[in-house]
Amino acid sequence: MAETKREIERKYEATAGTDVPDLTRVRDVATVVDEGVVELDATYHDTPDLRLAADSITLRRRTGGSDAGWHLKFPVAAGVRDEIRAPLSDTLPADLAALLRSRVRGGEVVPVVRLRSARDVRRLLDADGDLLAELSVDTVRARRLPGGPRASWTEIEVEAADDADPGILDAVEKRLRKAGVHPSHAPSKLARALAETAPEEGRPDAPRPCAPGTAGAAVLAYAREQAEAIVALDPAVRRDLPDAVHQLRVACRRLRSALKTYRSVLDRAATDPLGDELKWLAGELGAARDQEVLAERLRARLGDLPRTLRRGPVKARLRVWDTARTEDARRRAVAALDSDRYLALLDRLDALLADPPLRKAASRDAAKVLARAVRKDHARLAARVDHALSLAPGHERDLALHEARKAAKRARYAGDAARPTLGKPAKKFSKRVKKVQSLLGEHQDAVVTRATLRDLAARAHAAGETAFTWGLLYGREEAAADAAERGLPEVWARAVSL
């Protein structure tokens, strides 16, 4: 079973003759324990075209040391990575392979570099004998596989202990710099090995389908950003990291929205089917995200009630309801990511970006084309808001407001996509439309929550429990929806003049 460890470390240049300074002079370090030399042998795996390395992801199978096994590392920030470990085996464990699926697709990972290191380890302890950090001097021998060039170097690596203050790394670095030891330019051993053993012939630059400053270049840059986000967020969803499902769903929606908004740039005959697949994926992810939002709202509503108004086992019933639905929704999301349909979508996104179906407007000035498209989406939003406000309160108006909310989201995404080109006007546009979207979102959440409260009340009644609290919350959601409707004309008035 894989386990995850947050790795916070820094690397420094060294030579075989580099002397490590007295580290007991580092703040909080009372003792330095020399652990001796450990021999490590690691084979790094990647796709033949090094897709993992391109995203600063490392996958290795290592023997020797206290943590022999498979290690998969995802970047979090500069010097910070999440390391996911699995037991040593001859083949890549299935749970690690799943985390690489969005990048590897139907291909395979193969050995690309072998690193053998002699690691001279020192443990830095505080006055209580607790571990603050571990410093190692690594003598590295690298070889490109199969049978490629070799390289060797020495480096110093300092890693903060799991429960230690990461500030210890600043204190150690200050001491190392005084001794003439400076940070490494390579972010990882693998990156250095790949650079120093690379074939002499370089890769030709990929041709640009559109000239800089054109509408095609602007739209494709935004589309590429969202497509890359989908790929990058896939493993975060599988790991059940906070907000991962939401962010992946947003990337799908942003990309689908851009394909619709900027159809004067990209031919809809090619992009509409792709948009349908993005809608499918967002829908499969939506169950998990919608459940998360709904459960948080209900917990907050219950928490706001005085204890005297919480009648019956309402918290327990909510917890049971949420657990069952959350598990089902998560299974549905992961099943979508495991499907062949999803991999086909990723391949089609790659094909679109590599050979985009450009129209005449793609070669025109980006500012003019994008501004026209944003104005068109704003007009579409205006028509939907006006229609909704013309209806009497009730079910039909609720549906119309929901359609207006979707139009507001599309208009906001259009403005976001245009910000690198249009600058402050697009930023202002997005900000004001977002307020409309948020208010309409509050209305829709209240509508959806009322339906859930009816279900919870029916379940409570069938079990012989009082439905009083659920009915009370239902009334509060009605009030929340009414407040959103009353506030809409004022919020919309500030956005309509754009």
Side-chain angles (χ1 to χ4, degrees):
M1 189 66 179
E3 61 179 65
T4 301
K5 176 182 181 297
R6 177 60 57 87
E7 179 183 81
I8 305 176
E9 66 178 20
R10 297 180 188 177
K11 296 179 182 295
Y12 301 87
E13 298 288 347
T15 67
T18 299
D19 291 326
V20 176
D22 180 5
L23 299 173
T24 58
R25 299 180 61 183
V26 173
R27 174 179 52 84
D28 296 333
V29 177
T31 308
V32 176
V33 178
D34 191 341
E35 295 289 316
V37 178
V38 178
E39 297 291 337
L40 305 175
D41 191 343
T43 299
Y44 287 78
H45 293 68
D46 204 332
T47 60
D49 56 355
L50 303 179
R51 295 178 210 168
L52 304 185
D55 287 342
S56 300
I57 296 170
T58 60
L59 171 66
R60 73 185 178 202
R61 180 184 184 275
R62 189 167 77 182
T63 58
S66 60
D67 61 347
W70 287 89
H71 304 158
L72 174 59
K73 300 185 182 185
F74 288 98
V76 176
V80 183
R81 295 186 291 183
D82 276 348
E83 180 179 278
I84 304 166
R85 300 176 177 177
L88 191 64
S89 61
D90 292 336
T91 58
L92 177 62
D95 44 359
L96 297 192
L99 297 177
L100 298 173
R101 194 165 189 261
S102 65
R103 291 174 170 89
V104 176
R105 314 282 173 83
E108 61 177 351
V109 294
V110 297
V112 293
V113 167
R114 183 182 183 187
L115 294 182
R116 286 179 286 181
S117 305
R119 169 164 289 183
D120 190 358
V121 181
R122 296 162 175 80
R123 291 165 59 86
L124 281 56
L125 311 179
D126 64 12
D128 296 325
D130 294 327
L131 181 65
L132 297 173
E134 191 172 272
L135 180 145
S136 64
V137 181
D138 295 342
T139 302
V140 184
R141 294 165 292 159
R143 186 175 187 180
R144 193 71 165 249
L145 299 175
R150 301 172 185 268
S152 61
W153 67 89
T154 301
E155 67 180 33
I156 293 175
E157 183 176 292
V158 185
E159 181 176 351
D162 292 346
D163 299 324
D165 180 356
I168 185 64
L169 298 182
D170 292 329
V172 172
E173 179 165 314
K174 182 177 181 180
R175 181 64 179 149
L176 291 175
R177 283 181 177 272
K178 284 185 177 180
V181 178
H182 300 286
S184 172
H185 296 294
S188 67
K189 288 182 174 67
L190 175 62
R192 183 165 184 170
L194 290 173
E196 296 192 11
T197 63
E200 292 185 4
E201 64 274 11
R203 293 183 179 179
D205 293 334
R208 290 184 176 182
C210 300
T214 62
V219 172
L220 287 174
Y222 183 78
R224 183 172 290 105
E225 179 182 337
Q226 305 313 315
E228 290 175 351
I230 292 172
V231 171
L233 288 163
D234 174 300
V237 171
R238 295 176 187 275
R239 295 170 60 197
D240 202 19
L241 296 184
D243 209 35
V245 170
H246 173 57
Q247 293 300 325
L248 180 49
R249 190 186 188 193
V250 167
C252 292
R253 286 178 163 177
R254 284 183 178 274
L255 180 51
R256 179 171 178 255
S257 179
L259 296 178
K260 286 188 172 183
T261 296
Y262 299 109
R263 56 182 48 168
S264 66
V265 175
L266 298 174
D267 189 349
R268 64 179 299 179
T271 60
D272 279 359
L274 192 55
D276 291 341
E277 292 304 287
L278 289 166
K279 181 180 180 180
W280 161 77
L281 179 57
E284 295 302 294
L285 297 168
R289 174 57 182 170
D290 291 346
Q291 176 61 25
E292 179 183 3
V293 171
L294 183 56
E296 287 178 359
R297 186 180 182 94
L298 287 171
R299 282 193 291 268
R301 290 287 194 252
L302 277 177
D304 290 340
L305 286 180
R307 184 180 297 275
T308 54
L309 297 180
R310 295 199 295 266
R311 305 285 182 84
V314 287
K315 286 190 175 182
R317 177 162 293 283
L318 179 60
R319 184 169 56 253
V320 171
W321 167 85
D322 180 38
T323 300
R325 288 173 60 96
T326 296
E327 291 176 355
D328 289 343
R330 171 160 174 75
R331 280 195 294 268
R332 179 178 172 183
V334 174
L337 299 184
D338 283 339
S339 69
D340 292 339
R341 184 176 180 177
Y342 169 65
L343 290 188
L345 167 60
L346 296 183
D347 288 341
R348 290 173 68 180
L349 286 176
D350 286 348
L352 176 82
L353 295 170
D355 186 18
L358 301 173
R359 301 185 66 194
K360 287 185 178 179
S363 61
R364 296 172 185 161
D365 178 69
K368 293 181 179 179
V369 174
L370 269 61
R372 187 182 304 115
V374 170
R375 287 194 296 269
K376 186 175 181 180
D377 272 359
H378 184 266
R380 179 172 174 270
L381 168 60
R384 292 198 180 185
V385 171
D386 290 345
H387 171 65
L389 291 176
S390 71
L391 299 174
H395 180 66
E396 292 301 319
R397 191 182 204 186
D398 288 345
L399 293 178
L401 288 170
H402 182 45
E403 291 301 312
R405 178 201 179 199
K406 291 190 285 187
K409 188 176 295 185
R410 174 169 161 179
R412 173 194 163 197
Y413 290 162
D416 289 344
R419 282 179 64 176
T421 300
L422 301 180
K424 288 184 178 180
K427 181 179 180 180
K428 180 181 178 182
F429 173 87
S430 294
K431 184 177 180 179
R432 291 190 176 181
V433 172
K434 182 180 180 180
K435 290 182 179 179
V436 176
Q437 176 195 331
S438 296
L439 188 65
L440 291 171
E442 170 63 20
H443 179 273
Q444 178 63 13
D445 287 348
V447 171
V448 172
T449 304
R450 290 207 306 267
T452 300
L453 287 167
R454 283 196 299 269
D455 178 62
L456 287 169
R459 290 170 182 263
H461 179 73
E465 302 163 8
T466 176
F468 171 81
T469 300
W470 305 118
L472 180 61
L473 292 181
Y474 186 96
R476 293 195 172 194
E477 292 297 342
E478 280 190 320
D482 290 343
E485 291 186 38
R486 290 194 304 271
L488 179 59
E490 180 181 352
V491 174
W492 174 237
R494 290 194 290 268
V496 75
S497 61
L498 293 173

